[in-house]
Amino acid sequence: MTMIRTRLAQLLRPRRLRRTETMRALVREHRVEIAQLVQPLFIVENPSDAGPITSMPGVSRHTITTAVQEAGVLEALGVRSVLLFGIPETKDAVASSNYDPNGIVQQAARAIKTAFPHMLVVADLCNCEYTDHGHCGIIDEQGYVDNDATVEILVRTALTYARAGVDVIAPSDMMDGRVKAIREALDADGFEQVAIMAYSAKYASAFYGPFREAADSAPQFGDRRSYQMDAPNAREAMREIAIDVDEGADIVMVKPGMPYLDIVRAARDRFDVPIAVYNVSGEYSMIKAAARNGWIDEDRAVDELLVGFVRAGADVIITYFAKDYAARHGAQ
Ligand code: PBG
């Protein structure tokens, strides 16, 4: 007995630092800051499309009026960045409702910036919500998305977003060369201060399922594999990010989040620009569904999830949990 005790006394005892919450808080290595969270907002042009999204419990489609109210609630909670997605009333083959200076994102951005000038307004830039075929660009004769024709309309749309007061343009289409084209057009039009957050390593993912219901943007034929990345590829993600940084991206993004934390870490180690991660709709809905069934504790799962992104190296976290997280952790 005595011998055993003597031996144990020589042990290294990491558990000493886990004894109390005070001790654990003292030595905690990573923390989630509310200021690094971005809340996505879905905004409809037709008010009859507003309301709860069945596949994303707790998330709604907003009218411009309720989006502005929501921005006020978020700002009061300390969430100071929103990512806008527009759901237009009309769609066509070339996404013309997207570059309409009075389109839904343009109107919403103006309204939010007028009511809350300090709110950082990020606009997702893509065409899938605006095309009748649901693809992210113009379709060529072979049924592929035509890269350069799509970049042209992205540029046109980006300028209308900038004129509406958007602070950050976030292209999520995965066309080659779009960051450079958008940067040049913004600069030529006097919008040197408008930043670009590029969805650089965006994978073709099953985890976007609920979003496509929310944004009414499911492709009507085929899939997005000819432009979004192939899940097994990691080196290619570094190449995509390097190209976007080179083309002028201010912030680069990895998307989805949970299955791609290795990509977030690799990007953090390799590049010196801020790294964003998108905790996508499917990741959100899985947690909500399990919590609603009583299978997991939602609050603890979300805390663990978000600190996991920070630990992996993310600077910016786009998450549908932003508001709830801030409500639970904000200044008391
Ligand atoms: C637009 C876009 C998508 C998402 C963000 N921007 C959908 C897609 O690429 O199919 C997904 C977001 C989410 O799932 O939360 N292209």
Side-chain angles (χ1 to χ4, degrees):
M1 194 62 198
T2 347
M3 261 180 64
I4 290 169
R5 281 201 167 271
T6 318
R7 250 193 21 238
L8 286 179
Q10 294 162 355
L11 275 182
L12 293 175
R13 293 185 182 275
R15 285 185 56 194
R16 269 184 216 122
L17 299 182
R18 295 180 209 137
R19 256 177 92 80
T20 63
E21 175 49 25
T22 310
M23 181 65 95
R24 290 191 294 272
L26 180 75
V27 299
R28 195 154 284 150
E29 295 178 37
H30 298 284
R31 287 186 169 79
V32 177
E33 300 267 355
I34 293 168
Q36 75 190 134
L37 305 180
V38 180
Q39 175 75 49
L41 292 180
F42 297 104
I43 305 165
V44 296
E45 188 161 21
N46 183 345
S48 65
D49 292 333
I53 300 161
T54 324
S55 57
M56 299 179 72
V59 179
S60 287
R61 299 198 205 196
H62 288 281
T63 61
I64 291 177
T65 311
T66 66
V68 172
Q69 287 163 359
E70 186 73 355
V73 172
L74 290 166
E75 192 173 71
L77 288 170
V79 178
R80 294 184 300 214
S81 305
V82 289
L83 172 61
L84 306 187
F85 290 97
I87 298 139
E89 191 150 21
T90 57
K91 302 176 187 243
D92 62 21
V94 296
S96 53
S97 51
N98 204 6
Y99 50 78
D100 177 351
N102 235 349
I104 181 62
V105 166
Q106 294 85 343
Q107 287 186 52
R110 267 188 221 109
I112 294 171
K113 287 304 285 188
T114 305
F116 304 103
H118 299 297
M119 195 81 182
L120 191 83
V121 172
V122 187
D124 181 274
L125 174 61
C126 196
N127 293 305
C128 58
E129 301 105 297
Y130 304 85
T131 51
D132 47 17
H133 46 70
H135 276 286
C136 299
I138 312 281
I139 306 292
D140 69 14
E141 297 88 60
Q142 283 106 48
Y144 282 95
V145 171
D146 182 325
N147 192 86
D148 298 10
T150 301
V151 169
E152 265 179 50
I153 61 165
L154 289 168
V155 165
R156 193 165 162 185
T157 301
L159 286 173
T160 66
Y161 287 180
R163 287 179 196 131
V166 163
D167 300 292
V168 182
I169 308 271
S172 68
D173 51 284
M174 288 301 278
M175 296 303 116
D176 296 327
R178 90 277 210 213
V179 172
K180 181 165 190 273
I182 294 166
R183 183 73 270 157
E184 281 175 3
L186 288 173
D187 290 355
D189 229 50
F191 293 111
E192 300 87 356
Q193 298 310 319
V194 172
I196 297 178
M197 175 163 73
Y199 288 67
S200 302
K202 177 175 178 179
Y203 289 87
S205 172
F207 291 95
Y208 305 151
F211 174 95
R212 291 182 186 168
E213 183 198 316
D216 188 22
S217 65
Q220 299 305 301
F221 62 90
D223 53 38
R224 304 210 201 290
R225 289 171 191 276
S226 78
Y227 42 104
Q228 298 179 349
M229 283 187 58
D230 200 21
N233 294 0
R235 287 192 305 266
E236 188 188 352
M238 298 303 109
R239 184 163 145 75
E240 282 282 7
I241 293 171
I243 292 170
D244 283 357
V245 170
D246 212 51
E247 289 188 12
D250 301 284
I251 302 172
V252 295
M253 193 199 300
V254 175
K255 176 183 173 195
M258 293 164 73
Y260 298 92
L261 293 179
D262 58 323
I263 308 297
V264 174
R265 168 48 56 195
R268 167 72 299 138
D269 290 344
R270 191 126 146 199
F271 300 99
D272 291 327
V273 294
I275 309 292
V277 65
Y278 198 140
N279 175 216
V280 302
S281 57
E283 303 170 43
Y284 173 85
S285 299
M286 284 194 305
I287 290 180
K288 282 285 181 187
R292 290 193 154 201
N293 276 297
W295 296 335
I296 56 168
D297 176 331
E298 178 174 329
D299 293 352
R300 287 186 51 209
V302 171
D303 290 358
E304 193 175 327
L305 175 72
L306 298 190
V307 85
F309 291 133
V310 173
R311 199 183 59 243
D315 302 290
V316 176
I317 304 169
I318 302 163
T319 177
Y320 303 96
F321 290 116
K323 182 182 169 187
D324 284 1
Y325 185 89
R328 288 191 293 110
H329 293 275
Q332 279 91 17

